Amino acid sequence: MLAVLGRRAASAGALPVLAQQVSRAISTSQPAADLRSFLDEADPLGAAHGRAWLAKELRNKSWDDLHRLWYLCLVERNMVLTQLAWQERQQRLSRRASELPALYLGRYSKVKLTMNRIKQVLSERASLEADAVKAADMKRIIHYM
């Protein structure tokens, strides 16, 4: 049908309408009812979480690997902060204490430490860059991370 509309517009003297411009991207994901879609489904008490990455390990990674790891840490950080907010809300509603926030704060500190180390490694690479323009671009990108 969109092709027909494009031909009619072209025959009328107007610019042809491209089907890609007219059609909209349709999301196939399920609509989220509340924050539960962002929460960690695993049992936090039984779940073991690793350690923060060391700067020595990160220095061996490529720019693309560090970029991917940064965004994985960003997703994890947001999930942990959402989990903490959810737990805080549940505690206010039930007026009882829980040991869960301490577990999530431990995960949060590991993720933040990894993110800070990624920025440190990227800053080291930017300072070693011979091309001044490229070094300035790298520092600008790192600053906004």
Side-chain angles (χ1 to χ4, degrees), residues 55 59 119-129 138 142:
R59 286 186 188 102
K119 286 179 83 168
Q120 173 192 349
V121 168
L122 292 175
S123 296
E124 290 171 2
R125 289 183 186 178
S127 65
L128 294 175
E129 181 62 43
M138 288 173 71
I142 294 165

Side-chain angles (χ1 to χ4, degrees), residues 85-97:
W86 183 262
Q87 291 297 322
E88 181 181 307
R89 181 177 181 270
Q90 294 300 318
Q91 286 177 9
R92 266 186 306 190
L93 292 175
S94 65
R95 291 186 174 84
R96 62 184 168 93

Side-chain angles (χ1 to χ4, degrees), residues 109-124:
S109 65
K110 291 175 188 176
V111 170
K112 282 299 288 181
L113 184 58
T114 297
M115 293 174 85
N116 288 336
R117 287 178 179 164
I118 290 171
K119 286 179 83 168
Q120 173 192 349
V121 168
L122 292 175
S123 296
E124 290 171 2

Side-chain angles (χ1 to χ4, degrees), residues 96-112:
R96 62 184 168 93
S98 171
E99 70 271 4
L100 289 177
L103 294 171
Y104 290 116
L105 289 175
R107 283 175 63 186
Y108 178 77
S109 65
K110 291 175 188 176
V111 170
K112 282 299 288 181

Side-chain angles (χ1 to χ4, degrees), residues 1 6 52-53 59 67 93 97 124 134-135 137:
M1 180 170 166
W53 283 74
R59 286 186 188 102
H67 184 91
L93 292 175
E124 290 171 2
K134 189 173 180 181
D137 285 341

